[in-house]
Amino acid sequence: MASVTRTNATHDAPHLAAPDVNPSFTKGIFLGEIREDLVFPFPVMSPEETESLRMILDALRSFAASNIDPAKMDHDGKFPDEVRHGLHELGLMGLNIPEAYGGFGASAKVFNRIFGELGGTDPALTVYFGAHESIGCKGITLFGTDEQKTTWLPRCATGEIVAAFCLTEPGSGSDAQAMASTAELNEDGTHYILDGRKIWISNAGYAGMFTVFAKVPVTVDGGIKKRVTAFIVDAHSEGITLGQPEQKMGIKASDTRTVTFEKVRVPVANVLGEVGQGFHIALEILNSGRLGLAAGSSRGARRIMNEAAKYANQREQFGRSIGSFEMIQRKFAQAAADIYAADSAVMLTSEMMDRGAIDYSLETAACKVFASELAVHATSEAMQIAGGIGYSKEFPYERAMRDARINMIFEGTNEILRALIALSGLQQPGERLKKLGSAFKDPLHSMGEISSYIAGRAKRAVRKPEFTKVHPALSKEADRVATLVHNLALAVESALMKHGKKIMDRQFIQERMADAAIGIYMSTAVLSRTTWEIERAGSVDAVKPEMDCARLFLADRYRQVRRSIRRISRNQDDRMKAVAERVLETSDAAPISPSDRV
């Protein structure tokens, strides 16, 4: 068994999120800070970006109108080759691949808008392109050597090679450290021998290249440890076998299979990034991929609510259209406000990615959680508006619901992402309290540090941050969001002081912290965008549709976030845990019904 230690980075990626050195808006709010420089002004596309985007969208819409039949693809469970190849010819396979390697080199703002358009056209096709560009070959763009980029990216850009991302295993999903796949260097040191089994691999049946993660023996402090490493694997290599296409609830046309690797020879030159750094590479790829999911989810929600609006206008009950009834109108109003927020946050986060030197990892997670849940809720509401026909395969509602549901699972379940947001946000407040704990062990020599902390906490308790760049018309709403930031930071500090390291296991609390952080970020995106909308139009009255959506969203989200923060300290967690554990122990969802006592 051979091991390898690799040094000297083969690339630099200054545009990537770097949590240890780059600023983060969402991590800042856990400290009670509002980093306005990261979220204002709201981004604007350049004239060149706007023109390129218009041309691509026009071509995509024209092609889709004539060639894409989502209902038929759902029924058949596959894409017609002419659809895939036609979209390849439009250049969509290389949207975010650099121009130097034959791609379009789209900015994150342009890429995510086009990805959103695909999400509104057909979610299964969105999976096809996302599995290829957002995660399949993204690792080569971000971490590949010049030789790797030259070898693979031009063919990925044209669609000659379709890429897929192989991370999940039967025994390891979000817990990548538990993976069982291995890769060991052969005696000659020329190849790795890859063994393992990956599941739920999108594009597996089309793939010409896999980005595969496996554990490699490496030398660490004189001992041998197994560390996750990323590999570029030719999908036609001997020893690779594919399972049958999965029979899925939704996104049926997308090709999803198990991929088995048995003694597959992978050249040493195909190691992606550094040996042992695969976990970091996977996280970075998924960080960027999640934003595409958010864009597609938001556009999917818009599309199905547009269908529902047409139906509500023409469907009559009691002598009037059902769209005139307030209980139906509430559904449209809530969806409009939430879509407005989701679009705002996707655009704002795309700008963070384009600017570089910003840690956007929690923002992409927040966008994915919010937009995926919006899509599921919107499709449910649209089906309810449609009534009986919503349940029929003849109409798009039931298909939209089936297709939307996967987004809450893709690229990190929403539960895992909430834990990520909370635990990442807790790091800096936790370090602050850790230093204080060390100081109290030797108080006579640490009075300065202790006094500084006490004075700082007193100041934080009475002084809340503020927005200075929000338009005056939104000053009341901005003040409320600032209050939420202030209250979240105080609640975080109190929770850390109460629970200490045990906070790692208090997921009820983590979930509330994450929901608060997500709500604050979405609200901030709305404040930033609406300020820009007012300034662009020249007056508040000129942007009444935007102002109405903004105020509706901000008021609703304020109440939800305030409740989440309060429940960090005032809750029924012990009772909730007791009930849940009783259900799990008995495998019975609730105490038996009186009618069952026979």
Side-chain angles (χ1 to χ4, degrees):
M1 179 188 300
S3 65
V4 64
T5 303
R6 220 182 192 200
T7 58
N8 299 326
T10 57
H11 72 287
D12 293 309
H15 59 292
L16 293 181
D20 295 332
V21 297
N22 292 338
S24 163
F25 177 85
T26 298
K27 288 181 181 178
I29 67 175
F30 279 79
L31 295 167
E33 300 172 355
I34 296 176
R35 291 294 307 271
E36 281 191 288
D37 58 310
L38 301 180
V39 292
F40 285 88
F42 192 73
V44 178
M45 286 192 292
S46 69
E48 293 78 15
E49 286 179 312
T50 301
E51 181 58 27
S52 295
L53 177 60
R54 183 182 297 114
M55 291 174 58
I56 296 171
L57 289 178
D58 286 347
L60 173 57
R61 288 165 179 164
S62 176
F63 180 85
S66 302
N67 297 278
I68 296 177
D69 185 343
K72 186 177 189 308
M73 292 192 298
D74 178 75
H75 176 272
D76 295 345
K78 63 180 180 181
F79 305 124
D81 286 341
E82 56 267 26
V83 169
R84 290 194 307 114
H85 296 155
L87 291 171
H88 293 183
E89 291 174 7
L90 292 179
L92 297 187
M93 297 295 271
L95 280 175
N96 63 359
I97 292 175
E99 290 184 81
Y101 301 101
F104 186 79
S107 66
K109 292 189 290 294
V110 170
F111 176 80
N112 286 305
R113 176 60 187 88
I114 297 168
F115 203 85
E117 189 71 19
L118 285 165
T121 302
D122 181 70
L125 273 174
T126 312
V127 173
Y128 176 72
F129 284 97
H132 172 76
E133 290 189 85
S134 291
I135 56 177
C137 60
K138 186 70 172 180
I140 301 176
T141 300
L142 297 179
F143 295 95
T145 63
D146 289 340
E147 182 180 355
Q148 289 169 344
K149 291 176 181 179
T150 301
T151 299
W152 297 98
L153 290 182
R155 290 182 290 164
C156 286
T158 62
E160 176 188 345
I161 289 179
V162 176
F165 185 79
C166 297
L167 179 64
T168 304
E169 299 185 1
S172 67
S174 297
D175 182 11
Q177 296 290 3
M179 73 172 54
S181 294
T182 61
E184 297 187 4
L185 199 61
N186 67 1
E187 293 299 327
D188 296 333
T190 59
H191 290 75
Y192 283 89
I193 307 303
L194 173 65
D195 289 281
R197 183 167 173 250
K198 302 292 183 176
I199 61 174
W200 311 122
I201 307 305
S202 298
N203 287 355
Y206 302 117
M209 183 273 288
F210 296 117
T211 297
V212 184
F213 296 84
K215 285 187 173 179
V216 171
V218 298
T219 303
V220 179
D221 298 329
I224 301 297
K225 303 286 185 181
K226 288 194 173 183
R227 294 288 185 263
V228 178
T229 300
F231 296 90
I232 304 167
V233 179
D234 186 329
H236 304 296
S237 300
E238 185 176 350
I240 297 177
T241 57
L242 304 181
Q244 292 298 309
E246 298 289 348
Q247 300 303 303
K248 307 183 297 294
M249 169 182 166
I251 56 167
K252 290 186 174 183
S254 63
D255 189 289
T256 310
R257 307 185 189 217
T258 294
V259 182
T260 302
F261 302 91
E262 186 173 0
K263 298 190 182 328
V264 177
R265 289 168 56 85
V266 182
V268 169
N270 284 19
V271 171
L272 184 58
E274 297 301 307
V275 171
Q277 294 300 309
F279 186 65
H280 166 72
I281 290 172
L283 288 180
E284 288 289 4
I285 293 170
L286 292 172
N287 277 343
S288 59
R290 287 175 186 133
L291 196 56
L293 270 179
S297 295
S298 181
R299 285 280 156 180
R302 180 188 292 265
R303 177 184 62 85
I304 200 61
M305 290 306 292
N306 288 350
E307 290 292 331
K310 295 172 187 175
Y311 178 77
N313 280 328
Q314 60 90 20
R315 172 65 168 166
E316 291 193 357
Q317 291 285 279
F318 309 106
R320 52 196 281 204
S321 70
I322 65 171
S324 67
F325 294 112
E326 289 185 347
M327 280 191 278
I328 300 298
Q329 290 178 345
R330 180 192 59 77
K331 300 178 189 297
F332 287 110
Q334 189 65 61
D338 288 351
I339 292 168
Y340 181 81
D343 287 349
S344 303
V346 168
M347 185 77 166
L348 188 63
T349 311
S350 296
E351 172 69 1
M352 291 180 181
M353 296 174 71
D354 287 335
R355 282 172 61 182
I358 297 174
D359 174 14
Y360 50 77
S361 57
L362 301 194
E363 287 72 23
T364 59
C367 288
K368 189 267 188 181
V369 170
F370 181 85
S372 63
E373 292 177 2
L374 159 63
V376 170
H377 183 69
T379 54
S380 178
E381 293 286 59
M383 177 179 281
Q384 190 70 18
I385 292 165
I389 72 165
Y391 211 64
S392 169
K393 284 185 175 292
E394 186 179 349
F395 300 90
Y397 304 99
E398 65 86 29
R399 185 177 71 253
M401 177 175 281
R402 289 188 286 104
D403 287 342
R405 187 58 183 82
I406 187 60
N407 291 324
M408 292 173 61
I409 300 171
F410 263 156
E411 297 190 26
T413 68
N414 285 8
E415 290 76 18
I416 285 292
L417 294 184
R418 282 185 165 92
L420 169 70
I421 291 169
L423 294 176
S424 296
L426 285 169
Q427 286 177 357
Q428 287 177 289
E431 285 298 319
R432 178 189 284 167
L433 291 176
K434 184 178 179 181
K435 290 180 181 178
L436 181 67
S438 299
F440 273 117
K441 293 178 181 178
D442 187 11
L444 292 178
H445 294 90
S446 307
M447 288 306 297
E449 190 168 354
I450 294 171
S451 298
S452 176
Y453 174 81
I454 293 172
R457 191 175 196 281
K459 187 183 295 183
R460 291 192 295 276
V462 298
R463 183 186 298 172
K464 74 177 185 182
E466 62 180 11
F467 286 94
T468 63
K469 299 181 180 182
V470 173
H471 192 276
L474 292 165
S475 59
K476 177 182 176 181
E477 289 82 0
D479 184 67
R480 281 183 162 184
V481 178
T483 298
L484 295 175
V485 173
H486 179 65
N487 291 344
L488 175 61
L490 294 178
V492 163
E493 193 170 53
S494 295
L496 282 168
M497 293 177 72
K498 178 179 179 180
H499 300 289
K501 292 181 180 179
K502 292 182 179 179
I503 196 75
M504 297 287 291
D505 297 319
R506 300 299 298 268
Q507 289 195 347
F508 293 146
I509 292 175
Q510 293 171 25
E511 184 176 35
R512 294 174 195 127
M513 289 178 178
D515 285 341
I518 292 168
I520 289 169
Y521 181 61
M522 294 294 149
S523 297
T524 301
V526 167
L527 289 172
S528 180
R529 174 183 170 180
T530 312
T531 293
W532 172 77
E533 296 279 10
I534 296 169
E535 293 170 349
R536 177 185 62 86
S539 73
V540 175
D541 292 339
V543 291
K544 191 174 189 308
E546 290 83 357
M547 284 292 289
D548 284 343
C549 281
R551 284 182 164 147
L552 187 62
F553 179 84
L554 291 166
D556 182 64
R557 200 55 43 169
Y558 170 73
R559 290 188 291 270
Q560 292 185 34
V561 172
R562 182 177 60 179
R563 183 166 59 249
S564 293
I565 293 172
R566 285 176 175 172
R567 292 181 63 208
I568 291 173
S569 58
R570 289 177 284 175
N571 52 61
Q572 296 197 70
D573 286 359
D574 291 341
R575 185 167 289 113
M576 196 183 320
K577 192 171 182 63
V579 171
E581 289 177 346
R582 197 174 296 122
V583 170
L584 292 165
E585 182 181 347
T586 63
S587 296
D588 200 346
I592 63 172
S593 167
S595 63
D596 290 335
R597 293 192 174 99
V598 293

